[in-house]
Amino acid sequence: FALLAGPVSAAAQTGDYLNVKVQLQISADCGGNPDIVNTTATGQFKPTFNPTGVAFNGKLTLPVNATSFTCSRSYIHKPTSRMVPGEERFTITPLRSGGMASLTVIWPSQYVPMSMTQFMVGVDIGRCASESYVNGRRISGFTTTAYGAQFMGGAQNGVPQGDISPTLRLVKADVTNGFSGTYTLKGMGACGESSLGEKGENREYEGPSGHMLNAVATVTLSYKSASQTQVAIAKPCADIVAGQTVTVTAKGTPAGGQYDWTGTGGVRASGTGATATLTGDQPGHGRVKVSYTSGTRTASDEKPVTCLRVSGLNGGAPIPVIGLFDIEAKPITTPIQVALSVQPADAGDNLSFTPANRAVLSVTSRGDALLLQGVRSGKTQITGKTSCGQSVGGPWPVEVRRCTDEVVAKIAEEERISREAFQQQASAAQAALNDKEFEQAADGLADASGELILKTGALIVGTLGGKAGGTTGAVSDAIGHAMNFRDMANAQNGWDQLSATSQEFVQSAGGPFSQAIAGAIDVVKTASDFGSKLGKVMGTNEQVESARKGMENFDRLVRDAIRRKQNCKEAPSAQQPPEPKKPDTPAPGQEPPPSKQPPGKAPAGQPPAPPGEQPPGQQPPAAEPPVLADPPFGPGPGPTGLPYQPGDQGCTCGAAGAGAVLGTAYDLRRIDAGMGSLKSCNDRFVARAQGFEGALEAFKGLLTEMAGAAQVPAAQRPAKAREWSARLDVVIDRSKQFETAGKAVLGNGKACSAALGASVGVMGKAAKSPLEAN
């Protein structure tokens, strides 16, 4: 210790001592405010003199014992995102048998030109260890090897600096006549780390960790002989609720003196002996002072006392409902802040607030506000107390729910918007299917397919004319006649026959040729009409498919909103299950009637149990709401063939294969691909039919030329034969191409008509199934 009192050394006597008493208290603001350190040390130091002042030197040892305490905590279980209650256990162990307190005192006086008063205390306590637990299982731990507390305060130019009360300042009379005084310093110490589970750390839990501890050092100084008059106030209750009272005692030496009590700053003191009653009259920071007179000397001591009043929480309005989950069904990890109305404004730092049920709510006081974090659904109350245990008002009710009304309303609004959008897409699909042109095309598609088969068959199976020979059709006849005429043209002695046969054919087959050409033209027209209807159906299918995608998207959004809405439902309270209905008693000799109740279903008159729950009387409902699965929209009838593979070989409507229509609402893309392949096949068939029509026209003209074959000079016949043969080869080739394509059409029979009808049915189902399922 160092005491600088200016040139007043003559006032100090060699028999005078500086008596020092330090009481150190360190407490936690949880676990019932335990005193972690509560120890007292005293010392008496002999002064030495120098030209500028007087100094007191010595050491003071504070004994500190090992201690432990527990604080409630709330942690987030990261794998499930759930808030779970836990605790943190602290242990403080001294590094040695006791802490060492060091004090420095600079006392300016009217004789010393110094403008600052400084008073400091530093205590080295030992080691602090903290461990976090959930359900009795240790999840983390930290150790601080150098744990202590520091205090610092004083005044500069008469203005208090730091947290020391009252300001330590001496004058000449204090050194000459002696003095005594008690000074309170407030500080803070940290134990453990500030958080558990920083970002990026692979931890199972995350949440608060570590603790800030409140520390108070009370230092009593007295100067002159050990037998001088002294008085000290025992530690009073530092906080008094307005309108309430506490008692305080003092001890003066030597015994037999007189006590005089006074109070200031809203605190009234009354008493004539060593005990006084302190009454909080109005909020404010005050002091209680006692003067003790023994003989001709008077000593005094004083302590700070605060009179406070808590007006309420949240500005007097009810505390809002605290939600556990946000609109995305994710746990809320940020606590809500509720304002604390207290007078004086800084008095809230000395108050503690606790919930009646820590399993429902976690409360942290911040001085001017409370931080509330929900742990699980339920109702509880918050109470507040001073450091002396006096109630400061309340209790204040708090309710914790899975979701607040605001969150529930937002989810409902999102569901409404998604349902409306879903309905718009469904209406668009229905509008496409109700289009008159589509209805006409869809209704006539099967008939057009059948008519095309019929007319194609007439060309391939029917006769061309001239000589009827069996069941050969117009196409086969055209090919056969063209090959015969080609053979005659290439024969050296066949030109007279070629000329005669051609003349006969022109005279007798003009009508049949014209009929075949007309039939080919009719087939082209019918196939084109079929392709036009098919194209219209394909366009509508694309519209329905687009609307279908929109319905699926908004259906997922609706189901997600339902899932989140289910998540907000509170677990039902335990209820007595209804008494089961007695079964009908069968007549003697008769078997009891069989139960109509399928296994796992609720009895008649009761709603079915939601997914994930059991009917009443079997098993309590699950605590967590069920998660809705996306059900399929149900299969339709058995598979119906539809062309899918490209090329002529794929232009068939079989009963299965890669292009089978399964009759489900998800087959629109397959239908689109199958119809596209069918339309390509039909387009190729139209080209083949047009080629056959042209071949017949060319054949008819060629017959007129070959009717004059006898008049062609012998020298020109080889060249002419090559020319006619080439032209006849074209007729043969185009006729064969049409025959191949026509046989594919005939091979489909009624399969294509059935497949197309099934496809149109699936389109209608695709526009309705999601709506019905939703």
Side-chain angles (χ1 to χ4, degrees):
F1 305 92
L3 171 64
L4 302 179
V8 294
S9 58
Q13 305 299 318
T14 57
D16 295 327
Y17 293 90
L18 176 67
N19 297 284
V20 179
K21 177 181 179 181
V22 176
Q23 181 179 5
L24 176 64
Q25 184 178 29
I26 300 178
S27 61
D29 60 357
C30 68
N33 299 287
D35 286 341
I36 298 171
V37 174
N38 193 346
T39 185
T40 302
T42 60
Q44 190 178 77
F45 308 104
K46 185 176 181 181
T48 58
F49 300 95
N50 56 59
T52 58
V54 57
F56 300 90
N57 299 316
K59 293 183 178 180
L60 192 63
T61 301
L62 290 171
V64 178
N65 298 321
T67 185
S68 62
F69 64 99
T70 301
C71 290
S72 299
R73 291 284 189 262
S74 295
Y75 301 105
I76 296 177
H77 187 228
K78 295 172 70 175
T80 61
S81 299
R82 299 183 187 277
M83 187 73 69
V84 296
E87 63 182 11
E88 193 168 7
R89 304 172 187 176
F90 296 89
T91 302
I92 296 179
T93 306
L95 290 176
R96 44 189 180 272
S97 61
M100 182 64 65
S102 60
L103 284 72
T104 301
V105 182
I106 304 174
W107 289 329
S109 69
Q110 56 184 316
Y111 303 105
V112 178
M114 301 180 69
S115 60
M116 184 179 73
T117 301
Q118 191 77 13
F119 195 68
M120 295 178 293
V121 178
V123 182
D124 184 9
I125 297 175
R127 177 185 293 105
C128 174
S130 66
E131 296 180 320
S132 300
Y133 287 83
V134 172
N135 296 327
R137 181 168 67 90
R138 182 179 181 273
I139 61 174
S140 184
F142 303 99
T143 298
T144 304
T145 56
Y147 173 69
Q150 291 186 351
F151 317 89
M152 185 172 182
Q156 185 172 1
N157 297 325
V159 179
Q161 299 288 327
D163 200 357
I164 178 174
S165 180
T167 300
L168 182 59
R169 190 173 184 84
L170 301 180
V171 295
K172 179 180 179 181
D174 296 321
V175 179
T176 301
N177 302 323
F179 71 92
S180 65
T182 301
Y183 307 90
T184 302
L185 298 95
K186 294 182 179 180
M188 184 172 291
C191 184
E193 292 195 356
S194 60
S195 65
L196 169 63
E198 300 291 346
K199 287 185 177 180
E201 293 186 0
N202 185 19
R203 297 181 183 272
E204 184 180 5
Y205 293 88
E206 64 178 16
S209 180
H211 205 74
M212 299 301 294
L213 307 178
N214 299 321
V216 178
T218 303
V219 182
T220 301
L221 303 175
S222 60
Y223 177 63
K224 291 298 185 179
S225 64
S227 61
Q228 67 184 13
T229 300
Q230 299 182 30
V231 68
I233 299 176
K235 181 182 179 182
C237 180
D239 303 293
I240 306 174
V241 178
Q244 299 188 31
T245 62
V246 296
T247 58
V248 64
T249 60
K251 182 178 181 180
T253 56
Q258 181 179 354
Y259 295 89
D260 182 23
W261 295 89
T262 58
T264 61
V267 177
R268 175 164 40 94
S270 59
T272 56
T275 301
T277 299
L278 304 182
T279 303
D281 287 339
Q282 59 184 2
H285 294 293
R287 303 192 67 80
V288 57
K289 182 178 180 179
V290 63
S291 297
Y292 182 73
T293 302
S294 176
T296 60
R297 289 193 172 184
T298 298
S300 63
D301 190 16
E302 59 180 302
K303 291 287 192 299
V305 182
T306 299
C307 174
L308 59 88
R309 176 186 292 121
V310 174
S311 303
L313 297 178
N314 201 35
I319 297 176
V321 173
I322 299 174
L324 297 175
F325 296 92
D326 61 15
I327 193 172
E328 299 297 333
K330 296 180 180 179
I332 298 175
T333 58
T334 303
I336 70 167
Q337 181 173 306
V338 177
L340 171 63
S341 301
V342 60
Q343 297 174 298
D346 59 350
D349 294 331
N350 299 330
L351 303 178
S352 62
F353 294 85
T354 56
N357 189 346
R358 297 178 185 270
V360 172
L361 184 70
S362 172
V363 180
T364 302
S365 177
R366 206 190 63 180
D368 61 344
L370 300 185
L371 303 180
L372 309 182
Q373 177 71 59
V375 178
R376 74 179 186 191
S377 297
K379 295 181 179 180
T380 186
Q381 295 178 331
I382 298 176
T383 57
K385 292 184 178 181
T386 66
S387 58
C388 304
Q390 292 181 327
S391 175
V392 296
W396 295 277
V398 181
E399 182 179 3
V400 179
R401 298 181 194 164
R402 295 182 67 84
C403 300
T404 63
D405 291 340
E406 181 182 8
V407 168
V408 172
K410 287 183 178 180
I411 294 176
E413 178 65 9
E414 289 185 3
E415 181 183 359
R416 182 191 67 80
I417 294 174
S418 297
R419 285 184 182 274
E420 289 182 356
F422 177 93
Q423 186 60 53
Q424 291 174 358
Q425 294 295 323
S427 298
Q430 290 294 340
L433 293 175
N434 293 335
D435 180 73
K436 295 299 181 182
E437 292 184 7
F438 165 73
E439 290 180 350
Q440 293 175 359
D443 292 342
L445 194 60
D447 292 339
S449 175
E451 186 177 358
L452 178 60
I453 292 173
L454 181 63
K455 292 181 178 180
T456 302
L459 284 178
I460 295 178
V461 178
T463 59
L464 176 63
K467 295 180 180 180
T471 59
T472 58
V475 180
S476 297
D477 283 347
I479 296 173
H481 288 308
M483 293 177 66
N484 288 334
F485 281 113
R486 185 184 60 186
D487 292 341
M488 285 186 288
N490 290 323
Q492 295 181 358
N493 56 355
W495 278 68
D496 290 337
Q497 182 183 1
L498 174 63
S499 179
T501 305
S502 298
Q503 291 176 10
E504 179 185 358
F505 218 90
V506 169
Q507 293 173 0
S508 63
F513 259 117
S514 298
Q515 292 176 6
I517 292 172
I521 293 174
D522 198 17
V523 167
V524 171
K525 180 180 178 182
T526 302
S528 299
D529 180 62
F530 173 73
S532 176
K533 288 182 172 58
L534 186 60
K536 178 59 181 177
V537 172
M538 289 177 61
T540 301
N541 183 68
E542 291 179 359
Q543 291 178 303
V544 175
E545 182 181 359
S546 176
R548 167 71 191 195
K549 291 179 180 178
M551 285 190 287
E552 289 180 348
N553 177 59
F554 291 112
D555 182 75
R556 284 192 295 269
L557 295 179
V558 170
R559 291 182 179 278
D560 182 65
I562 294 174
R563 175 189 66 81
R564 290 180 284 138
K565 189 166 60 176
Q566 290 284 74
N567 179 69
C568 288
K569 288 186 177 180
E570 302 292 341
S573 58
Q575 297 180 355
Q576 187 70 22
E579 185 174 346
K581 182 180 178 180
K582 295 182 179 180
D584 296 335
T585 304
Q590 294 183 355
E591 293 292 331
S595 174
K596 297 182 180 180
Q597 177 61 39
K601 289 192 175 181
Q606 295 183 8
E613 298 186 6
Q614 295 293 329
Q618 295 187 21
Q619 179 179 326
E624 295 298 326
V627 177
L628 298 180
D630 290 337
F633 293 127
T640 302
L642 188 68
Y644 183 78
Q645 297 293 339
D648 288 340
Q649 296 302 319
C651 295
T652 57
C653 299
V661 178
L662 300 180
T664 69
Y666 295 102
D667 282 328
L668 295 182
R669 287 186 294 272
R670 183 175 295 178
I671 290 173
D672 185 68
M675 286 187 176
S677 177
L678 182 59
K679 192 172 186 308
S680 296
C681 293
N682 185 72
D683 291 343
R684 287 194 299 273
F685 178 72
V686 170
R688 300 293 188 268
Q690 290 174 336
F692 178 62
E693 175 200 346
L696 291 178
E697 293 283 1
F699 196 6
K700 185 177 180 181
L702 186 57
L703 285 173
T704 303
E705 292 183 32
M706 289 188 298
Q711 284 74 37
V712 176
Q716 297 178 7
R717 288 182 179 182
K720 202 64 174 178
R722 288 193 298 272
E723 176 192 345
W724 287 343
S725 294
R727 292 166 65 182
L728 287 170
D729 285 341
V730 173
V731 172
I732 295 170
D733 183 59
R734 290 183 179 179
S735 298
K736 287 183 176 181
Q737 289 180 4
F738 174 71
E739 184 180 39
T740 301
K743 287 181 178 179
V745 172
L746 295 177
N748 288 326
K750 296 182 179 180
C752 269
S753 297
L756 291 171
S759 299
V760 173
V762 170
M763 291 169 58
K765 180 179 176 61
K768 294 179 180 179
S769 296
L771 182 61
E772 294 169 355
N774 199 15

